[in-house]
Amino acid sequence: MADTTNPQFPPLEKPPYHVGIIMDGNGRWAKMHGKHRIEGHKAGTENLRRILESSVEFGVKMLTIYAFSTENWKRPPFEVMGLMKILEDVIDRELAELNKNGVQLRHIGILEKLRPSIRKKVLHAIDMTKGNDRLVLNVAFNYGGRQEIVDAVKCVIDEGIPAGQITEELLSQHMYTANCPDPDLIIRTSGEFRTSNFLIWQAAYAEYYITPTYWPDFDKAEYYKALQTFSQRDRRYGGRNE
Ligand code: IPE
Ligand code: IPE
Ligand code: MG
């Protein structure tokens, strides 16, 4: 049988199952190129396509992307509206192809605060792709980690669960990411060393990879390097591995 492996990207021994990405640096990328910030967000969206394809190739099964935080509402209305429109356009343009490629789309965050046309498209995309299993793509849009914990606590109280029955597992099952394994690796582009409220509950033992590269320039080779770095990490979870 012919060897189909790409010599530049030999199969990884231990690819992370679940990768989270804080797709940061679109604004600075735009500035660097003398473009408007919105152009940076568009370039960032284009980049997502190659990272999705590479995820499948590199053996990643679940990807959670941070696209809009609960704090991003603080930005000028023009930029917020631009980001909403980009989400809508991406669904319109890419859904059929994503579905064809076996991507299962999910959303984490608060959908209710988004305009009805977006809500409708997101729910349609989730429904259409729910049977796919090549790659699960969680889109964190209007997502905040603290808000997620608050919502989980509210749910637990609404369900009348007594304090004595509250465990870490139970709270995990009430997060937006219920039924998703915790992220193994969180990548942040653009060189910022902070979580910015992304998966703060789930990432308790995630490995972090931070690169100065702006998100639109984060390419397949750099993604591979991040995954390779991950496979060399010694994950101890507070214990000892020897
Ligand atoms: C990330 O890029 C995308 C969102 C936060 C929506 P930024 O817009 O934060 O880009 P910088 O950090 O200003 O360069
Ligand atoms: C985090 O980036 C949010 C997303 C990538 C969607 P920000 O640019 O909003 O984070 P801060 O403000 O630098 O912490
Ligand atoms: Mg930023």
Side-chain angles (χ1 to χ4, degrees), residues 22-24 66-68 72 75 188 194 196:
I22 303 174
M23 309 183 294
D24 199 11
Y66 204 10
F68 190 88
N72 287 148
R75 296 189 180 197
R188 183 164 191 156
R194 52 178 171 264
S196 299

Side-chain angles (χ1 to χ4, degrees), residues 45-64:
T45 309
E46 286 303 309
N47 189 40
L48 195 51
R49 199 177 299 137
R50 63 178 170 184
I51 296 304
L52 284 177
E53 282 164 12
S54 307
S55 294
V56 173
E57 181 180 333
F58 296 155
V60 172
K61 299 302 284 178
M62 184 175 279
L63 196 62
T64 300

Side-chain angles (χ1 to χ4, degrees), residues 68 70 73 80 84 107 109-116 118-119 141-143 147 151 154 176:
F68 190 88
T70 45
W73 293 102
V80 171
M84 299 289 152
H107 169 261
I110 306 176
L111 213 47
E112 288 69 37
K113 296 229 175 94
L114 305 179
R115 62 171 180 249
I118 300 186
R119 285 204 313 256
F141 199 97
N142 196 20
Y143 170 89
Q147 184 63 52
D151 284 348
K154 283 184 182 166
Y176 308 141

Side-chain angles (χ1 to χ4, degrees), residues 23-29 37 41 67-68 72 75 79 83:
M23 309 183 294
D24 199 11
N26 294 346
R28 279 162 285 170
W29 180 92
R37 292 182 64 86
H41 294 312
F68 190 88
N72 287 148
R75 296 189 180 197
E79 186 172 352
L83 286 161

Side-chain angles (χ1 to χ4, degrees), residues 4 13 32-33 37 41 47 49 64 69 80-81 94 108-109 113 128 146 152 184 187 191 206-207 227-228:
T4 54
E13 228 172 85
M32 188 172 85
H33 291 277
R37 292 182 64 86
H41 294 312
N47 189 40
R49 199 177 299 137
T64 300
S69 76
V80 171
M81 294 313 286
E94 307 285 341
I108 58 170
K113 296 229 175 94
M128 181 171 168
R146 287 189 166 184
D184 300 293
I187 297 171
E207 297 294 325
L227 302 185
Q228 230 178 1

Side-chain angles (χ1 to χ4, degrees), residues 13 20 37 60 72 81 86 100 107 113 116 135 137 164 167 174 179 186 192 196 204 242:
E13 228 172 85
R37 292 182 64 86
V60 172
N72 287 148
M81 294 313 286
I86 287 172
K100 203 176 96 196
H107 169 261
K113 296 229 175 94
L135 177 75
L137 176 64
T167 59
H174 285 80
N179 301 319
I186 306 263
E192 308 293 356
S196 299
E242 79 276 73

